[in-house]
Amino acid sequence: MNAGAQPAKSSPALSAGSEPVDPVYRQIRDLVYKVSGIYKTEEKLYLLAAGCGRRMKQLSAKTSREYWDHLTAHPSRDGEMRQLLNEITIGETCLFRSQPQLDALRKVILPEIVADKTKQVTRRLRIWSAGCSTGEEPYTLAMNMMEESAGTLRNWTVEILATDLNDHSVETAKAGIYGDYALRSTPDYFKRKYFVPVEDKKLQVRPEVKKLINFSRLNLQDDSRMLFMKGMDVIFCCNVLIYFDGSSKSKVINHFYSNLNFSGYFFLGTSESLLNLNDKFHLVHFPGAIAYWKPSLKSGKL
Amino acid sequence: MSTPVAANVITQVRERVKAIETMPSIPQVFLPLLDMLNLPPDLVSLNEVVKLVSYDNTIAAQCLRVASSPLFGLAKSPDTIKAAVISLGLRRVQTILLTCCMGKAFPAKDWPLDPIVFWRHSLGCAMVCRQFSEKMGGGDREKAYMAGLMHDIGFMVNCMVFPKEFGAAVKYALERQIPLDVAELATMGFTHCESGRALAELWNLSDDMIHVIAHHHNPERSGTAQPLVALVHLSDLLCRMRALGYGYYERQKVDLVEDPAWAILLREHRKLDGVDLVRFSFELDEAVEGISHLVSTIMAGGNP
Ligand SMILES: C[S@@+](CC[C@H](N)C(=O)[O-])C[C@H]1O[C@@H](n2cnc3c(N)ncnc32)[C@H](O)[C@@H]1O
Ligand SMILES: [Fe+2]
Ligand SMILES: [Fe+2]
């Protein structure tokens, strides 16, 4: 955008400050996308630059060009890319991280699943939050499902499975106590309805919400345990696969495919892509959200 | 989806559109410019375009400002149409001029469909059509752009000619969170495709453009212009899923690859298969701000 001719609006060609972005970071952005499926938009490019900056300090690399060589030249490149991914994906999470995903789930997916399963005896919905970190995601899902319990999900049982590799995270998740930062995107309506105030001005999730969720430790790379995860209607695995390389990623995705029921859905984080790791899933769009769909048996497009 | 609209309804719509005296007055340079876009590039000269545009100073001024939008790629406003053509190419400048003309034909008013929302969608669609055809290689990018820009003009016709009926249709769509064309058909018995077509015929647009306007919700009904219509159909869906829709939540799941339009387009452009739709969506999200800005420039009228 031409800053001179226009009012001072945030411009995509400029970083958070007003320094123009070093074009090398666009190259790094493309490389990161190719390796991990994470896309840093122009607006978020400064975060990528900051992550690179921290790595450059570690490596005593002086210029972005020099750092680019670390990322692209043998033998360091695979290891360095992993380090960079760690930098730009630090265990960040919060409640209500993606409203469009929740809308897609409540407004489109649930009615579809309910209509689909209505002839079955067991009216049970199973959702899996894979890589749930400290619990923000599964609690968000649980509260939103409770909102539907008098409507679309009337007479349905909802089970939410929440797993993470990190023991400490799982313990924190079970406690369900959150401060302002984790709650920054949570609507007041939900805060009032589903939380109780506890010490330090924090809020704790009500027991009724916790009741829907089953927390446990699970390594997504543990094939024998992954085989047992069956009958999922929807899987959320947001901002997790970024930690894996291509082959372990595709292994996990194939597991997810078998873990899902027919007509089930799989969500990634909002800036992630599956790339071309699995061609059995259909890419589907909802307003503001992308998901992967396991075709139904009757669609005959397996 | 929608059932075909009966021939007699189409005739009625056409009669009513014709009868309206306050039909959008498109700037005089619009139609000659659009015709030029259909000519082989070597038959159109810079001087002709410059001469044409000199009849309408406000359009020229606006064009220069729009040319510096990030979506058209110039960092600085060119001083003259000639300078713009040197940096952007004649055809690109022609489409910018046409975009400005369209903005003038349908100015901001308190209509059932907010013109700002309408223009964001139309421009978004124009950009997506152009980018799609860039990614597919081959095909006429500027023509794709124009097709995207004009596909929904029927909505503006509805606002002007059938404001009450269309107002009810919009309300119906919002309440049920369903696509606008479905709501139009349910409440009015015809859609913006029929009214848009009536205007397109009145304006003597090319057959391709008429097909785009009339069939973009059912590309398989277009006989001759199928790939172009299919391109617009897919771009329209993508825009509606990425914050460039009609300003309300549509309860919809869109599977572009399974859409019949995908197969139509794929027959023509094998490279479509390689388009990374997720990355494309992310790029589109990035363009939203620029598009909104462009809309305000276009709606601002001739003088800054
Ligand atoms: C950034 S958090 C994502 C939290 C939440 N899903 C979200 O999107 O807000 C990533 C989580 O993935 C977990 N993780 C990384 N590798 C894993 C593995 N192999 N198995 C299970 N979880 C893993 C980490 O422990 C971390 O809690
Ligand atoms: Fe339309
Ligand atoms: Fe449209």
Side-chain angles (χ1 to χ4, degrees):
Chain A
M1 217 176 272
N2 175 6
Q6 283 144 14
K9 258 183 117 194
S10 87
S11 150
L14 302 173
S15 59
S18 56
E19 296 277 296
V21 168
D22 178 347
V24 175
Y25 292 121
R26 290 208 183 89
Q27 270 172 275
I28 295 180
R29 178 255 304 276
D30 291 349
L31 189 66
V32 166
Y33 180 76
K34 223 168 93 195
V35 172
S36 71
I38 302 175
Y39 187 76
K40 289 282 175 202
T41 57
E42 206 76 359
E43 252 169 36
K44 297 273 171 70
L45 218 49
Y46 74 97
L47 290 174
L48 179 64
C52 292
R54 289 191 292 275
R55 288 301 306 152
M56 283 160 68
K57 260 212 188 98
Q58 291 275 316
L59 296 165
S60 314
K62 284 190 195 59
T63 62
S64 52
R65 268 282 145 216
E66 202 180 313
Y67 184 56
W68 171 255
D69 294 337
H70 282 277
L71 280 171
T72 48
H74 273 310
S76 64
R77 65 177 185 201
D78 293 349
E80 186 48 40
M81 179 47 82
R82 229 159 150 141
Q83 296 278 6
L84 177 60
L85 287 176
N86 288 340
E87 277 301 333
I88 61 171
T89 56
I90 302 167
E92 174 56 26
T93 182
C94 69
L95 287 110
F96 285 84
R97 195 170 184 178
S98 166
Q99 187 62 44
Q101 284 187 347
L102 296 170
D103 287 336
L105 183 62
R106 286 177 61 174
K107 291 174 187 268
V108 190
I109 295 178
L110 287 188
E112 183 187 293
I113 291 179
V114 166
D116 241 34
K117 280 200 188 180
T118 207
K119 284 164 226 106
Q120 294 177 16
V121 212
T122 50
R123 302 191 160 188
R124 177 182 298 152
L125 182 77
R126 302 193 78 195
I127 303 179
W128 179 13
S129 165
C132 66
S133 187
T134 37
E136 290 83 341
E137 181 178 277
Y139 285 127
T140 303
L141 292 169
M143 291 184 284
N144 276 280
M145 292 306 99
M146 287 170 81
E147 285 294 302
E148 295 293 339
S149 61
T152 316
L153 290 179
R154 210 189 151 124
N155 298 326
W156 279 65
T157 314
V158 176
E159 285 177 16
I160 296 173
L161 199 70
T163 63
D164 200 280
L165 173 68
N166 187 318
D167 289 309
H168 303 297
S169 299
V170 174
E171 286 315 307
T172 311
K174 283 181 185 163
I177 298 174
Y178 301 104
D180 282 347
Y181 189 67
L183 289 161
R184 65 189 182 274
S185 312
T186 309
D188 285 340
Y189 169 85
F190 283 88
K191 285 191 203 163
R192 279 195 297 270
K193 190 164 172 189
Y194 296 104
F195 291 85
V196 285
V198 289
E199 68 275 15
D200 291 342
K201 291 194 190 147
K202 292 187 170 175
L203 296 179
Q204 181 165 31
V205 179
R206 285 185 185 274
E208 309 89 271
V209 184
K210 290 189 179 175
K211 244 180 27 204
L212 298 189
I213 309 178
N214 225 316
F215 286 103
S216 63
R217 180 182 181 275
L218 171 77
N219 182 355
L220 297 173
Q221 294 293 340
D222 182 342
D223 290 335
S224 52
R225 283 204 54 201
M226 288 295 277
L227 286 174
F228 282 99
M229 313 293 290
K230 287 275 172 249
M232 301 298 163
D233 294 299
V234 186
I235 299 177
F236 284 81
C237 184
C238 304
N239 310 298
V240 177
L241 298 183
I242 46 190
Y243 297 101
F244 304 165
D245 64 12
S247 62
S248 38
K249 202 191 278 188
S250 95
K251 197 175 72 179
V252 173
I253 292 162
N254 289 332
H255 277 303
F256 285 156
Y257 191 85
S258 352
N259 300 146
L260 277 174
N261 291 330
F262 289 108
S263 305
Y265 290 87
F266 164 45
F267 281 93
L268 283 172
T270 46
S271 59
E272 292 178 86
S273 153
L274 212 50
L275 298 173
N276 295 317
L277 289 172
N278 180 304
D279 54 10
K280 288 182 282 181
F281 275 119
H282 284 217
L283 172 75
V284 289
H285 284 267
F286 303 98
I290 286 171
Y292 298 89
W293 181 61
K294 175 168 172 170
S296 58
L297 259 180
K298 48 180 189 280
S299 83
K301 283 172 195 133
L302 303 182
Chain B
M1 275 217 106
S2 48
T3 49
V5 174
N8 64 323
V9 177
I10 295 181
T11 315
Q12 278 167 25
V13 172
R14 191 177 288 142
E15 291 310 312
R16 277 190 67 179
V17 171
K18 263 196 207 152
I20 292 284
E21 281 165 12
T22 53
M23 240 2 256
S25 61
I26 192 93
Q28 286 193 350
V29 298
F30 180 80
L31 292 176
L33 264 174
L34 192 62
D35 285 340
M36 280 189 198
L37 201 62
N38 281 323
L39 295 173
D42 47 323
L43 287 185
V44 181
S45 79
L46 169 60
N47 289 337
E48 263 175 285
V49 173
V50 171
K51 193 164 148 225
L52 196 58
V53 175
S54 67
Y55 294 118
D56 193 333
N57 285 328
T58 57
I59 294 281
Q62 210 173 25
C63 169
L64 297 178
R65 264 177 298 133
V66 169
S68 70
S69 142
L71 299 161
F72 288 107
L74 283 191
K76 204 173 145 290
S77 274
D79 295 327
T80 60
I81 295 285
K82 221 172 199 151
V85 169
I86 290 166
S87 333
L88 289 173
L90 185 56
R91 288 175 70 76
R92 180 64 55 91
V93 171
Q94 280 177 283
T95 56
I96 296 175
L97 285 165
L98 288 163
T99 306
C100 297
C101 290
M102 288 285 287
K104 282 206 150 47
F106 305 109
K109 283 240 176 73
D110 189 14
W111 273 330
L113 185 64
D114 181 354
I116 296 190
V117 170
F118 169 80
W119 281 115
R120 269 188 209 147
H121 171 70
S122 302
L123 269 166
C125 207
M127 301 286 169
V128 170
C129 284
R130 191 176 71 199
Q131 249 153 299
F132 246 127
S133 67
E134 241 160 66
K135 286 184 199 257
M136 292 183 312
D140 184 336
R141 292 168 200 178
E142 303 308 317
K143 188 166 175 186
Y145 174 96
M146 281 315 292
L149 184 69
M150 302 190 59
H151 76 285
D152 271 341
I153 50 168
F155 282 135
M156 290 291 106
V157 177
N158 284 350
C159 287
M160 295 173 141
V161 185
F162 311 98
K164 253 178 73 195
E165 296 93 323
F166 183 56
V170 171
K171 191 157 166 274
Y172 188 89
L174 258 63
E175 279 166 7
R176 288 165 183 73
Q177 302 188 318
I178 57 171
L180 259 180
D181 60 304
V182 176
E184 285 177 318
L185 202 63
T187 61
M188 319 195 293
F190 67 93
T191 74
H192 62 289
C193 298
E194 284 71 53
S195 45
R197 176 191 198 150
L199 179 64
E201 288 169 355
L202 209 64
W203 278 358
N204 268 318
L205 298 189
S206 69
D207 283 352
D208 283 2
M209 212 53 93
I210 292 178
H211 273 254
V212 165
I213 291 165
H215 302 300
H216 65 271
H217 289 285
N218 306 83
E220 58 283 9
R221 273 190 218 142
S222 162
T224 50
Q226 272 203 358
L228 184 64
V229 179
L231 173 66
V232 172
H233 175 81
L234 296 169
S235 305
D236 171 64
L237 284 174
L238 190 60
C239 284
R240 285 154 63 190
M241 292 298 113
R242 300 311 290 184
L244 288 167
Y246 302 119
Y248 66 95
Y249 196 93
E250 289 186 55
R251 289 179 185 246
Q252 242 205 115
K253 160 171 135 187
V254 167
D255 187 336
L256 292 175
V257 178
E258 285 302 314
D259 194 294
W262 189 271
I264 295 175
L265 203 54
L266 193 60
R267 255 181 264 141
E268 209 74 10
H269 302 278
R270 304 307 308 181
K271 267 170 89 184
L272 180 62
D273 236 358
V275 174
D276 180 344
L277 283 171
V278 181
R279 177 158 183 164
F280 197 175
S281 309
F282 295 154
E283 287 169 357
L284 179 56
D285 294 348
E286 291 196 74
V288 170
E289 199 192 325
I291 290 172
S292 305
H293 197 269
L294 190 53
V295 169
S296 41
T297 313
I298 290 168
M299 310 225 46
N303 302 308

